Amino acid sequence: MVQKTKKTPMMEQYEAMKAKYPDAFLFFRLGDFYELFNDDALKAAQLLEITLTSRNKNAENPIPMCGVPYHAAGDYIRQLIRLGYKVAIAEQMEDPKQAKGMVRREVIRLITPGTYLEEGSQQRNNYICSLLQSKSGYALAHSDLGTGELQVTQLTSLESLLTEFAQLQPSELVVETEPDEDFLDKLKRLADFTLSVYSPDPAAIEDQDQLLTAIEGADERAALTLLLAYVQATQFQMVDHWQEAEHYEVDHYLHLDHYAKRNLELTESIRTRQQANSLLAFLNQTRTAMGSRLLRQWLDRPLIIAADIERRQNCVADLMDQYFVRLEIQEQLKGVYDLERLVAKISMGSVNARELLQLKQSLAKVPAIVHNLQLLLAEDEDRQAHWQGVLESLTALPEVVDLIDRAIDPDANVQITEGDIIRDGFNDQLDHYRDAMRHGKAWIAKLQADERERTGIKSLKVGYNKVFGYYIEVTKANLHLLDDLEENNYERKQTLANAERYITPELKEMERTLLEAEDKSIDLEYQLFIQVRDQVKAYKQDLQALAKSVASLDVLQSFAQISEDYQFVRPEISLDDRNLEIIDSRHPVVEAVIGKDQFVPNSIEMDDKTNVLLITGPNMSGKSTYMRQLALIVIMAQMGCDVPAKSAKMPIFDQIFTRIGAADDLISGQSTFMVEMLEANQAIQYATDRSLLLFDEIGRGTSTYDGIALAQAILEYLHDHLEAKLLFSTHYHELTSLEDSLPGLRNIHVGASEKDGELVFLHKIFPGPADRSYGIHVAKLAGMPKSLLANADRILKDLQASHGEDQGEQLSLFSVAETSPRAEDPTATWVMDQLDQVDLNDTTPMQAFELLRKLVAKVEGGD
Ligand code: ADP
Ligand code: MG
């Protein structure tokens, strides 16, 4: 901080404000700029790459300062918000020209990452969360201010809180008291959010009661109240597009913890952390922003109740049935703007006339959408039942369309304070002003023509500027033609280098009428706009319900489109039947990437007595792909989407646990093996008979015997204690003999064949264990030196011989525990490797000689 010296009154005003918003950048309005001072200025100059200057440059302690022009402030604010900062906007509350003494300033808005409406990625929700900790656990509320949704849940364990938090990915978290560091660290690892500590003012709270009628839990109500009060305090106004708060239970949905979500690449790829190549990106054929947000919500929360899943499946089937109807619906959806955000803007008073036109255009699409849906449902009662919920709120609101149509000029100005937004004929008074203006302009045109005629000066013109108003201008060269100035009431007003400007009393009078009409009409247009906006606002609930229906329809048509494009089938799901039978299934994302002809379909079959599939096969053959494929198919099925297979029958799962890949949890600094064990333990602790478990090569991160022992113990434990379905891939061939002792376990393997000593991956699943490990072949593919590979092959044969291959026991290459003595001469090996690396086509005689010299020296040197 800058040392305190004598401060100007303005700096005192600034510092008093800044003290109230210590964690925000204070944008302090000074004329046409927002200025930042002191630490804010130092930091902002760097973050925003703007010039740092100072106030009182010559004083002992100049004050660091930087500024942004007020009309361009939006971009700078966006940058800061994206970086997770807050911005407080202090405006001048009176005209500086008229102020006596200091201009009064007030903070009129606090912009925070979770309440930022201007931009908000339209493709996904921008959530603000509030959290309340108590003896009974955690109450977590969340909202997207852009849509007004309010949801709350109670979580009993830290684990489930973290999972839910990771899923919501809030940009801001509001709490009443600063959480302890350890806890905060855990949250920070899961999402990029800004923490706001806030104590609500009890007076502000009561107003919100009607939003909470459906919420029973005291903690949940308190969490919601905190959130509502915080938003209200930052916006400095009532937010009245809130939808009634809803309570939800996380275990009413298919549960995936954050490890599983990441491993399965549901919303982003592990490597790039981008949405590309995720299941979400693959499934997204939505045509509206609302649909795209809802798709993500459905993916975050797949269903577990058969009837709910079937309802979606039925709708998808209906849409698939009629290609042209679906096409027509998609076409209409494309023209629907983001209704949810438009409603929010209308409520918050930040909507402009163009956006009202967007609302009108969107509503105008609704009748055609309804008409097409009706075609789909014509005389089919079953179908009518499927779509009842969606159809109910698909109302075109003709009154709103009509109002906007009558009121708003199709070419309306973006600014709402500069006129040119209201249509002619909408308001008599406005028409009257406009008539006066038109009349006045015609009068002026006539004046110009008349004066030209009278004086004979062809270049005489009547002009206007802001400072002098209307004038008659005559060039110096023509002045001699104006001989009777007084007689014609010409009064000199301004002298230019080569012209004189005059006014007449009549022109002055007309100017007054004109300007008054213009001023009044602009004011009136603004008022009329506000009236129209408020009239539209009265329909906010209908509009919100409409938005929801449009979003559902959009996601359902997206499912239908995907299903048709990739030839998916409708899965048969059942709560009681434990048979899983997915014939010729594919991994949707891998298939889309490598091409349909390249992907080898595989069946996944587990009858009600088979709970464990033990998968062996060479590296890179497709074990991991096969396991993920099942998880994705389950998730898609429980979202209500069709699945990539020839046919599919499966039980409904309650949870999916994964232990996949060697993804080190770098951020948390945990080793691979620790992550493996944590993930495995999640499953062991929390899985039920209805869960799906994927364990991919567990035990890799420790020594061989350790690894085998743990893997076998985990297999036996899960086999004996749970009916859950488990896919377990392993490179420990020893484990395949468990099939004899564990009746619920079945061996399968991914086939590979050898051709001319080269490994050919078939990517095809076969029954039974793999016959060998192929590790050496993969090493060969990786280009390891030939002598090394030959040596590995020899060691493997030794090991197999000493363990008795005829007993069917297999050893992995990596399970080498005892080393057999090396038979080869190391010098010979070295020579072989050197020769192996020679490319004769790319060797000069000099290089050949040099190599020969090296070889000879090595052999003679003997070491
Ligand atoms: P593993 O886990 O056995 O080492 P992966 O599942 O990682 O093998 O698969 C390795 C690569 O093989 C994948 O990246 C994919 O390109 C390809 N692959 C896997 N399964 C198939 C399949 N069924 N059809 C075609 N290619 C596949
Ligand atoms: Mg693998």
Side-chain angles (χ1 to χ4, degrees), residues 517-673:
E518 197 171 305
D519 265 3
K520 285 191 171 156
S521 81
I522 287 180
D523 278 355
L524 181 57
E525 281 202 62
Y526 178 74
Q527 280 162 25
L528 290 171
F529 179 77
I530 302 299
Q531 277 171 24
V532 171
R533 186 183 76 195
D534 288 346
Q535 274 169 277
V536 175
K537 188 162 145 183
Y539 291 89
K540 66 177 187 242
Q541 272 161 352
D542 296 317
L543 287 168
Q544 282 169 337
L546 171 65
K548 278 192 179 144
S549 280
V550 169
S552 301
L553 174 62
D554 194 12
V555 180
L556 293 165
Q557 72 72 20
S558 179
F559 284 174
Q561 190 59 48
I562 290 280
S563 182
E564 184 171 285
D565 290 349
Y566 295 91
Q567 286 148 33
F568 289 180
V569 291
R570 174 173 176 159
E572 209 180 296
I573 47 156
S574 155
L575 197 58
D576 317 309
D577 189 345
R578 303 278 303 144
N579 283 301
L580 186 140
E581 195 180 294
I582 305 172
I583 306 301
D584 286 350
S585 70
R586 291 118 55 198
H587 186 301
V589 183
V590 174
E591 182 188 47
V593 171
I594 69 173
K596 192 163 172 52
D597 324 330
Q598 300 301 311
F599 197 88
V600 181
N602 278 305
S603 299
I604 310 175
E605 291 167 278
M606 297 169 98
D607 60 30
D608 56 354
K609 285 176 206 70
T610 309
N611 288 330
V612 185
L613 287 181
L614 188 66
I615 310 165
T616 43
N619 265 320
M620 293 295 292
S621 62
K623 299 183 296 297
S624 301
T625 308
Y626 182 74
M627 298 171 77
R628 285 157 185 260
Q629 193 166 309
L630 175 59
L632 295 188
I633 286 174
V634 166
I635 291 167
M636 287 165 72
Q638 294 187 213
M639 287 170 79
C641 185
D642 290 356
V643 299
K646 245 201 199 107
S647 71
K649 224 168 101 178
M650 61 184 98
I652 295 177
F653 291 96
D654 67 345
Q655 307 178 79
I656 299 179
F657 294 94
T658 61
R659 156 70 305 250
I660 288 186
D664 260 37
D665 200 340
L666 292 177
I667 314 162
S668 66
Q670 285 163 329
S671 73
T672 311
F673 187 64

Side-chain angles (χ1 to χ4, degrees), residues 844-861:
T844 63
M846 266 317 282
Q847 286 168 334
F849 177 76
E850 178 56 26
L851 176 68
L852 188 58
R853 200 189 54 71
K854 248 170 72 185
L855 295 178
V856 171
K858 180 88 176 178
V859 173
E860 281 179 351

Side-chain angles (χ1 to χ4, degrees), residues 307-579:
D308 293 346
I309 300 171
E310 277 157 8
R311 194 169 308 128
R312 289 185 190 170
Q313 287 181 333
N314 288 332
C315 292
V316 173
D318 294 343
L319 285 167
M320 287 192 65
D321 198 42
Q322 300 228 6
Y323 173 76
F324 287 106
V325 169
R326 188 175 78 236
L327 217 62
E328 199 51 47
I329 290 177
Q330 287 172 340
E331 208 42 51
Q332 303 300 333
L333 284 174
K334 262 195 238 162
V336 178
Y337 289 86
D338 195 337
L339 293 171
E340 289 178 316
R341 277 172 201 266
L342 286 173
V343 173
K345 286 191 154 184
I346 290 168
S347 299
M348 306 279 290
S350 61
V351 77
N352 63 37
R354 295 263 180 90
E355 288 163 332
L356 282 187
L357 292 171
Q358 292 179 355
L359 175 64
K360 181 187 85 173
Q361 287 158 22
S362 306
L363 289 172
K365 303 286 178 196
V366 176
I369 293 175
V370 173
H371 171 72
N372 279 289
L373 267 180
Q374 300 286 12
L375 288 179
L376 205 65
L377 313 186
E379 287 159 37
D380 185 330
E381 278 179 23
D382 287 344
R383 288 191 177 180
Q384 282 161 16
H386 304 159
W387 289 94
Q388 204 176 12
V390 171
L391 266 175
E392 250 164 38
S393 329
L394 271 182
T395 45
L397 300 175
E399 318 86 277
V400 178
V401 176
D402 176 63
L403 172 65
I404 298 175
D405 192 48
R406 280 187 296 116
I408 308 293
D409 189 322
D411 299 314
N413 208 332
V414 183
Q415 296 295 334
I416 57 172
T417 49
E418 292 175 6
D420 290 335
I421 46 179
I422 303 293
R423 246 188 161 158
D424 281 341
F426 180 67
N427 177 279
D428 288 347
Q429 187 62 37
L430 181 62
D431 288 349
H432 176 76
Y433 292 139
R434 282 181 174 165
D435 270 351
M437 283 152 67
R438 272 182 216 122
H439 170 78
K441 294 218 165 105
W443 185 90
I444 282 170
K446 183 163 182 301
L447 175 71
Q448 178 170 295
D450 289 352
E451 289 300 289
R452 279 183 185 173
E453 172 92 28
R454 187 181 63 76
T455 60
I457 306 172
K458 288 218 173 63
S459 63
L460 176 148
K461 68 174 186 191
V462 179
Y464 174 81
N465 77 28
K466 276 205 168 130
V467 182
F468 293 102
Y470 284 95
Y471 54 78
I472 299 167
E473 184 177 293
V474 177
T475 56
K476 293 235 160 108
N478 287 314
L479 283 182
H480 66 278
L481 294 169
L482 287 181
D483 43 12
D484 45 1
L485 285 177
E486 244 161 81
E487 204 176 308
N488 290 296
N489 286 323
Y490 271 44
E491 225 179 88
R492 180 171 295 129
K493 185 147 188 196
Q494 193 191 4
T495 303
L496 304 180
N498 56 359
E500 291 285 347
R501 289 176 173 176
Y502 304 92
I503 50 163
T504 69
E506 293 82 16
L507 183 56
K508 200 77 211 154
E509 175 61 25
M510 185 48 76
E511 173 185 306
R512 209 180 50 74
T513 319
L514 259 173
L515 292 185
E516 195 181 272
E518 197 171 305
D519 265 3
K520 285 191 171 156
S521 81
I522 287 180
D523 278 355
L524 181 57
E525 281 202 62
Y526 178 74
Q527 280 162 25
L528 290 171
F529 179 77
I530 302 299
Q531 277 171 24
V532 171
R533 186 183 76 195
D534 288 346
Q535 274 169 277
V536 175
K537 188 162 145 183
Y539 291 89
K540 66 177 187 242
Q541 272 161 352
D542 296 317
L543 287 168
Q544 282 169 337
L546 171 65
K548 278 192 179 144
S549 280
V550 169
S552 301
L553 174 62
D554 194 12
V555 180
L556 293 165
Q557 72 72 20
S558 179
F559 284 174
Q561 190 59 48
I562 290 280
S563 182
E564 184 171 285
D565 290 349
Y566 295 91
Q567 286 148 33
F568 289 180
V569 291
R570 174 173 176 159
E572 209 180 296
I573 47 156
S574 155
L575 197 58
D576 317 309
D577 189 345
R578 303 278 303 144
N579 283 301

